[in-house]
Amino acid sequence: MLPTPPTPVSRFASQVSRARSKEELHEGPRHYDCHSEDSFIAECVRFLVVCIQGRIDTDPYSKILIGLSGGSTPKKILTEFGRLEELEWSRLVFFLVDERYVPRDHPDSNQRMLQESLCKNGCTSLDAMVVPDTSLPLDQCIAKYHQDLSALISQHGTPDIVTLGMGEDGHIASWFPTLSPADYARATDPAQLVHHTQTDRFAGKDRITISLDLIARATHKVYFLSGENKMAKWREVLHGGLPQDLPALYTIEAGGVSAICYPPLSAVSQDDAKRAESEEHTTFVVLGASGDLAKKKTFPALFSLFCEGRLPRNFTIVGYARTELSFDDFWERLSPGLSKVGAFFCDKGTLSVRLRGMSHICLFPDKFRERCTYFCGQYGSPDDAARLDKLLQDKHEAKFARANRMYYLALPPTQFADAVRAFKPLAWSQKGWNRVIVEKPFGHDLPSSDKLASELMAVLEEKEVGPTQTYRIDHYLGKEMVLNLMALRFGNVAFTPIWSNHYVANVRITFKEDIGTEGRGGYFDKVGIIRDVMQNHLLQMLTLVAMERPASLLDEDIRDEKVKVLKQIAPIKTEHVVLGQYTRSEDGKTPGYKDDPGVPADSQCPTFATLVMFINNERWAGVPFIMKAGKALEERMAEVRIQLKDVPGGLFGELARNEFVIKVQPNEAVYMKIYGKQPGLSNEVEQTELDLSLHDRFDIDRLPDAYERLILDCVNGDKRNFVRTDELREAWRIFTPMLHTIDGLAGGDAMPVTIHTYPFGSRGPPDSDALVQHFGYKRTTGYTWKPKKKAGAE
Ligand SMILES: NC(=O)C1=CN([C@@H]2O[C@H](COP(=O)(O)OP(=O)(O)OC[C@H]3O[C@@H](n4cnc5c(N)ncnc54)[C@H](OP(=O)(O)O)[C@@H]3O)[C@@H](O)[C@H]2O)C=CC1
Ligand SMILES: O=C1O[C@H](COP(=O)(O)O)[C@@H](O)[C@H](O)[C@H]1O
């Protein structure tokens, strides 16, 4: 059954009613997944209604221009739409996106389709629409339709809505790929609104179509996508490429695109994806390949993905750095990191590897080596970029129809802008997507982050789909239990009622390391623990705990909700912060922070911090969000702990509070500390827990490293676990005044900041406990959750 529109309260409403800023227009498509044909048709109708209603609400007088595409899917949608008598039909002016050059009553005619669908109920008629007059000779028909549309647009402005379908060959309107250079030039020429095209693939050889440029100019471009094959094609579109091959990309570049999908976008058949994959090649270029991150994380993650068969079928990895190294030397540097990925052994002369914690064995891991190469070059050198491009084109990509390139910037941020400035014009693939992964730190405060972002954005564009994309990595967003937060919160109704200030007393997010800076003190001293893990990793976890339910699981819907919650957090007050720096261990055996080479003797750099922030919204007002992070503490651990309020009434005396704990590492688990009756004759209650320890409950061989997950997301064009620019700005806004105070810079509040000392291996400075207690956290004593089984992999 179809719902009864019009009600502008659906999930489309925010999209329609908000003013569209320039940035928003450059957002990627919004997707609306449907699980049945009925709901698909209902969603399509509802989308149109909400767009129309949104326009009517903001402008009570002008006409609303709607371009309609033909086909069997739209016919059903338009039939339902045509039944909505309560719409202000006199305000709507329809025109055709394309038409077959056949008489109006011909079975292939789109005008006939409109007659039999939209006009069937009598709410509107063909005479009220602007359509091509196919009774005229073809060239006159085109010229007249161009004139009619020009007049319409000059009177009422550009179209409000254009509805589109997409053929399994990727055509939209009547633009059939691959478009020749001449056709592409025509299609995108703003001066000519209507064109003649031809096809042998579908009914109606001669076509009359509006230009891609006119489609792109519509405020809302909505794709009605129904069927597995169309969805597979759409996935290809989302992976980027050239608009000549996939004209939908031209519309996406313009922003304002929505796609209503049945079956859901996520359910596209794997076979289709595989077929497309065999025709394409992907190159991973790791810039800064001689460095620490490349050695410790990037290459091991790529290697694990290879062993698990998760990398694209055809790929090359280029390690790129300035250091002159032979390939063998380069490989030797990588080998310690790679060998930690699993156990290598030789079985009947075949080298094999068993990934850490996994029963599965990968044969021929040495094949990975064959896919890697080392390239010595400067980061900002156009000559070197051109050399790399030539190597890739000639040696690795020549035989493939599509070639994608991922640039992983494992570089100091000072090098980011120079590198992309040199690489983009000369070493970007011209026949596939180009994506750039950027590593933290993304600046050291709000102004520096803005500067870095604008330097990057001057060269790259933060578009969701398009030839260029930036992926800002925060590796905590790739951790299993951080990813699990969304599923726990929005996949269960059980937590919904308690998830607010009605029941939650406080939320604690904790990060502890049992090692010090270990030789990285020189670097760490410029950063400190707050910038190192709190402004990014812990704040990301906080956001996932506090955000509202997103409209869908797609990238932008999730990131929109995250930004909203960040906007509701006031900058942290200095009096809500306790700082510490570790000293030598109590037994004197382990060195203190200042003993680390490179750390100045008078360093005031915090290696520990506890801080409190508040979210100023209806759900969370008054609930302290307490973050604690430190190096050189008593254990290695990261968790989110949601402490509920005291039980009123005291029926069983004073009880410790219920706590819902998400253990991020080690021993990934979710547990809830609750009370139950002591078993047996006693009537006492005793603390126990509901426990979901991942390694007990699930038969998991291993949990992938966060970097594996995130690299794979980038290959798949999935940005939900990457940090968007507005998200980053908000994060810095919350932390910058307090950081400036600590740094002694202007702009922060005037409180003097004390750095407390704490011995290596302790729980941190006692002042931290005092702060946490001040904000109402009650520590449970006498009962500790213990993992039943040690995790197989960490
Ligand atoms: N290491 C880690 O665990 C983590 C690192 N990161 C981030 O990842 C990025 C890379 O980190 P990491 O590998 O540790 O960094 P490195 O200091 O090891 O630098 C990586 C490579 O960049 C080149 N490089 C270094 N300094 C300069 C410079 N001033 N000018 C030009 N090139 C330079 C060097 O290669 P060559 O001289 O051969 O060109 C070096 O091997 C950084 O942004 C870092 O903050 C993020 C999280 C964790
Ligand atoms: O980003 C960083 O994270 C690590 C901790 O990461 P984990 O995955 O081991 O929890 C931290 O040691 C490092 O200082 C910081 O830059």
Side-chain angles (χ1 to χ4, degrees):
M1 272 313 275
L2 288 167
T4 12
T7 7
V9 290
S10 79
R11 53 206 177 114
F12 307 125
S14 63
Q15 178 192 1
V16 175
S17 55
R18 272 183 302 148
R20 301 180 66 79
S21 66
K22 198 164 161 243
E23 288 73 27
E24 280 177 305
L25 285 172
H26 281 282
E27 273 178 0
R30 285 175 181 257
H31 291 94
Y32 301 96
D33 280 348
C34 305
H35 296 268
S36 69
E37 196 186 354
D38 272 0
S39 71
F40 168 75
I41 293 171
E43 291 289 75
C44 295
V45 172
R46 200 199 289 269
F47 186 93
L48 292 175
V49 170
V50 174
C51 285
I52 292 166
Q53 202 64 49
R55 184 67 207 284
I56 288 177
D57 289 348
T58 51
D59 177 353
Y61 303 111
S62 63
K63 298 275 187 197
I64 298 161
L65 265 51
I66 305 174
L68 299 172
S69 295
S72 54
T73 310
K75 188 170 179 181
K76 291 182 197 157
I77 298 162
L78 294 176
T79 305
E80 294 305 329
F81 182 71
R83 293 200 176 118
L84 302 176
E85 289 169 7
E86 55 276 73
L87 274 185
E88 277 190 62
W89 287 95
S90 60
R91 298 276 304 274
L92 312 183
V93 181
F94 296 98
F95 65 91
L96 267 174
V97 166
D98 68 333
E99 176 59 298
R100 289 91 191 253
Y101 184 60
V102 290
R104 248 186 189 199
D105 56 357
H106 190 280
D108 293 339
S109 161
N110 280 339
Q111 291 174 60
R112 177 168 166 170
M113 183 279 291
L114 291 179
Q115 189 78 58
E116 293 170 356
S117 56
L118 187 61
C119 307
K120 201 170 157 190
N121 199 37
C123 291
T124 184
S125 70
L126 261 190
D127 293 342
M129 300 181 190
V130 178
V131 292
D133 181 352
T134 52
S135 65
L136 294 171
L138 184 57
D139 52 347
Q140 286 178 32
C141 167
I142 287 170
K144 170 131 192 337
Y145 196 38
H146 168 85
Q147 259 176 17
D148 292 348
L149 284 179
S150 303
L152 194 67
I153 289 165
S154 61
Q155 197 182 351
H156 303 296
T158 48
D160 295 282
I161 308 166
V162 164
T163 73
L164 295 158
M166 192 175 61
E168 290 169 16
D169 63 343
H171 80 264
I172 64 167
S174 283
W175 294 105
F176 298 90
T178 296
L179 298 180
S180 67
D183 274 347
Y184 185 67
R186 286 196 305 141
T188 56
D189 177 2
Q192 183 63 31
L193 304 183
V194 183
H195 298 270
H196 169 219
T197 62
Q198 288 190 316
T199 178
D200 291 323
R201 287 176 239 165
F202 302 91
K205 183 175 185 344
D206 284 301
R207 303 286 187 108
I208 298 140
T209 181
I210 65 169
S211 67
L212 286 181
D213 184 74
L214 179 57
I215 296 172
R217 277 192 267 156
T219 311
H220 298 287
K221 296 163 271 287
V222 54
Y223 284 83
F224 297 147
L225 302 171
S226 161
E228 294 267 352
N229 293 342
K230 287 185 184 170
M231 292 310 304
K233 200 73 194 172
W234 184 250
R235 262 238 168 262
E236 255 183 64
V237 170
L238 296 179
H239 277 192
L242 297 177
Q244 288 91 323
D245 297 331
L246 296 163
L249 280 170
Y250 189 84
T251 66
I252 286 172
E253 292 276 317
V257 169
S258 301
I260 303 184
C261 309
Y262 171 61
L265 182 61
S266 49
V268 179
S269 121
Q270 294 297 309
D271 288 350
D272 291 326
K274 286 245 152 33
R275 201 175 329 120
E277 202 187 295
S278 67
E279 291 155 17
E280 69 183 1
H281 179 276
T282 302
T283 304
F284 300 85
V285 184
V286 181
L287 299 175
S290 57
D292 187 56
L293 182 78
K295 185 173 67 184
K296 275 191 346 213
K297 293 289 187 188
T298 321
F299 275 89
L302 286 165
F303 181 48
S304 296
L305 288 171
F306 170 78
C307 292
E308 290 203 60
R310 297 295 198 126
L311 287 185
R313 190 178 307 172
N314 311 300
F315 73 93
T316 304
I317 301 176
V318 181
Y320 186 113
R322 299 172 309 175
T323 307
E324 284 198 24
L325 291 172
S326 68
F327 180 71
D328 286 343
D329 290 341
F330 172 60
W331 195 253
E332 207 168 304
R333 284 184 180 221
L334 296 183
S335 294
L338 299 186
S339 62
K340 284 193 194 135
V341 159
F344 290 78
F345 57 94
C346 217
D347 182 20
K348 297 188 191 111
T350 302
L351 182 62
S352 307
V353 62
R354 188 192 306 275
L355 289 186
R356 212 155 36 108
M358 215 172 161
S359 50
H360 170 76
I361 292 167
C362 164
L363 299 177
F364 307 115
D366 44 340
K367 294 273 179 236
F368 180 74
R369 188 180 195 272
E370 291 167 17
R371 302 289 192 97
C372 295
T373 178
Y374 183 75
F375 190 101
C376 178
Q378 302 292 320
Y379 302 115
S381 157
D383 287 350
D384 291 342
R387 262 195 319 123
L388 175 71
D389 184 64
K390 184 160 171 27
L391 172 85
L392 294 180
Q393 285 201 46
D394 293 355
K395 193 164 168 205
H396 302 287
E397 301 169 345
K399 63 177 188 212
F400 295 98
R402 288 167 61 79
N404 308 316
R405 295 185 189 170
M406 178 196 291
Y407 286 91
Y408 193 115
L409 306 192
L411 284 174
T414 47
Q415 303 303 307
F416 290 174
D418 277 357
V420 288
R421 220 173 279 128
F423 279 77
K424 186 174 172 187
L426 294 159
W428 250 221
S429 170
Q430 299 303 313
K431 54 177 188 180
W433 52 252
N434 294 281
R435 295 185 184 140
V436 181
I437 295 190
V438 192
E439 269 290 348
K440 81 174 182 66
F442 315 124
H444 55 87
D445 60 5
L446 183 56
S448 61
S449 163
D450 277 353
K451 182 164 177 283
L452 186 62
S454 62
E455 277 172 6
L456 274 182
M457 293 306 157
V459 199
L460 302 174
E461 298 130 36
E462 187 168 6
K463 283 180 200 162
E464 302 320 309
V465 172
T468 302
Q469 297 181 288
T470 10
Y471 289 71
R472 228 181 249 109
I473 216 165
D474 180 315
H475 79 277
Y476 265 61
L477 287 176
K479 290 198 184 255
E480 187 67 24
M481 295 311 285
V482 177
L483 292 161
N484 203 352
L485 271 168
M486 287 275 295
L488 288 168
R489 284 203 54 201
F490 303 119
N492 297 294
V493 75
F495 305 120
T496 312
I498 58 169
W499 216 263
S500 76
N501 50 12
H502 294 294
Y503 290 98
V504 175
N506 57 68
V507 178
R508 282 193 61 164
I509 300 172
T510 309
F511 166 95
K512 296 186 194 177
E513 279 188 327
D514 55 0
I515 52 169
T517 45
E518 317 246 298
R520 284 183 76 217
Y523 159 78
F524 189 86
D525 205 67
K526 296 182 204 85
V527 178
I529 194 73
I530 299 174
R531 292 183 174 97
D532 195 36
V533 297
M534 295 174 110
Q535 179 269 350
N536 34 60
H537 307 330
L538 302 203
L539 191 63
Q540 284 293 340
M541 289 200 266
L542 181 151
T543 317
L544 289 167
V545 170
M547 69 191 254
E548 298 298 319
R549 180 186 297 274
S552 79
L553 287 179
L554 289 156
D555 326 17
E556 292 324 305
D557 286 335
I558 294 175
R559 300 199 297 180
D560 283 352
E561 290 306 328
K562 289 171 74 184
V563 172
K564 268 189 225 159
V565 85
L566 289 171
K567 284 187 170 167
Q568 290 160 335
I569 303 177
I572 298 158
K573 293 186 175 160
T574 319
E575 67 260 35
H576 293 171
V577 183
V578 168
L579 302 175
Q581 189 184 82
Y582 68 91
T583 54
R584 196 164 274 273
S585 60
E586 273 171 346
D587 63 6
K589 288 187 183 155
T590 322
Y593 176 63
K594 284 184 182 150
D595 300 320
D596 207 1
V599 175
D602 59 351
S603 169
Q604 287 290 296
C605 172
T607 59
F608 173 98
T610 298
L611 48 86
V612 184
M613 57 185 90
F614 290 91
I615 302 174
N616 187 19
N617 64 18
E618 207 173 351
R619 183 189 287 275
W620 294 115
V623 178
F625 281 74
I626 304 163
M627 274 186 193
K628 171 174 165 174
K631 292 205 175 261
L633 296 176
E634 80 284 21
E635 61 176 328
R636 173 173 180 264
M637 178 273 260
E639 67 171 33
V640 177
R641 183 173 296 259
I642 291 141
Q643 186 171 79
L644 302 188
K645 292 184 174 170
D646 293 319
V647 179
L651 205 56
F652 293 101
E654 199 177 323
L655 302 180
R657 285 173 166 177
N658 290 150
E659 286 181 342
F660 181 66
V661 183
I662 297 119
K663 203 145 207 74
V664 174
Q665 63 191 28
N667 304 310
E668 294 83 352
V670 188
Y671 59 89
M672 178 104 177
K673 284 183 156 185
I674 56 161
Y675 277 90
K677 183 190 158 305
Q678 267 181 7
L681 295 177
S682 159
N683 281 331
E684 298 295 304
V685 289
E686 183 167 322
Q687 202 171 25
T688 176
E689 79 257 328
L690 300 173
D691 186 350
L692 167 61
S693 291
L694 247 59
H695 294 271
D696 293 329
R697 167 63 182 80
F698 296 106
D699 190 15
I700 25 178
D701 281 335
R702 72 189 277 271
L703 291 173
D705 182 79
Y707 278 90
E708 285 174 45
R709 162 78 190 219
L710 294 173
I711 289 174
L712 204 57
D713 280 353
C714 179
V715 171
N716 292 329
D718 184 342
K719 298 193 88 175
R720 82 183 77 171
N721 297 314
F722 293 85
V723 184
R724 207 166 67 180
T725 306
D726 49 354
E727 206 176 340
L728 178 64
R729 284 205 90 244
E730 291 304 324
W732 278 121
R733 180 190 57 73
I734 296 165
F735 279 85
T736 295
M738 179 259 296
L739 284 166
H740 279 185
T741 307
I742 297 173
D743 296 343
L745 297 175
D749 44 22
M751 289 278 296
V753 184
T754 311
I755 311 275
H756 304 271
T757 55
Y758 62 98
F760 193 114
S762 67
R763 292 187 57 250
D767 288 59
S768 161
D769 287 341
L771 179 76
V772 167
Q773 271 158 30
H774 172 76
F775 282 101
Y777 177 72
K778 291 193 185 170
R779 193 150 182 241
T780 320
T781 49
Y783 177 87
T784 320
W785 173 84
K786 288 209 171 53
K788 294 185 197 76
K789 197 164 95 180
K790 279 266 175 252
E794 238 307 285

